Amino acid sequence: DVCSSDLMRAHGIPFRGLAASSTRTRILVVDADRTASATLKDVLEGLGTCEVATSGDVLAAGFECGRATPDVIVFDASAGDPCWFTTTVRSRPGFAHVRVVASGTNLPDDERPLLRAGISGVLHKPYSVRALVDALGIDAAANAPRAATCAA
């Protein structure tokens, strides 16, 4: 017996407020540097598989998480402590699955403490678009710019 919600999902029909774009990867970029956030948003949305929101601090990130649960959060150390942020986000109901990728210029070379804290990946700035896509675990469009770097 197939319930109506399963039937609707099987045929791609939005159900219970699910957006038609729900197959796109929802990414939240948290970075105190607005230029860096804008660059990441442009690059990721240019891949054609991502829906990107940005925030400049943990408070704004909390509001964004309240609007829509991201699949992945790119959290730059300029906005705060990535370990604290990861623990806080994952403690919220419905957020245990959210992956957090830490980025920054002054992250430790030894990534093990960050990974033990629950961070899914670490990106040391500057990093390539390829490194970003790999860390996020998303499928990039064939025409994505591979040579660009995110240094801000």
Side-chain angles (χ1 to χ4, degrees):
D1 189 307
V2 177
C3 74
S4 61
S5 65
D6 290 339
L7 180 65
M8 292 175 74
R9 285 188 188 106
H11 293 283
I13 301 168
F15 180 75
R16 289 188 185 198
L18 293 177
S21 66
S22 64
T23 58
R24 295 166 56 100
T25 303
R26 289 182 311 270
I27 300 172
L28 173 60
V29 175
V30 184
D31 196 320
D33 181 342
R34 303 277 182 185
T35 302
S37 293
T39 299
L40 285 180
K41 180 178 172 86
D42 290 345
V43 167
L44 291 169
E45 287 183 344
L47 298 175
T49 59
C50 302
E51 181 180 309
V52 182
T54 62
S55 63
D57 56 54
V58 293
L59 181 60
F63 285 120
E64 282 297 328
C65 287
R67 287 182 350 100
T69 305
D71 298 306
V72 184
I73 298 171
V74 179
F75 188 87
D76 192 81
S78 66
D81 178 4
C83 295
W84 175 85
F85 182 80
T86 301
T87 301
T88 302
V89 165
R90 293 224 179 106
S91 69
R92 294 178 65 171
F95 281 76
H97 73 282
V98 175
R99 295 177 52 238
V100 178
V101 175
S103 71
T105 56
N106 57 356
L107 293 174
D109 289 333
D110 183 4
E111 300 171 359
R112 290 178 294 184
L114 296 170
L115 298 175
R116 278 194 299 267
I119 291 172
S120 305
V122 179
L123 291 168
H124 296 273
K125 287 183 176 179
Y127 51 82
S128 68
V129 172
R130 177 81 261 158
L132 174 65
V133 167
D134 289 346
L136 298 179
I138 57 177
D139 290 327
N143 61 352
R146 302 280 184 229
T149 59
C150 300

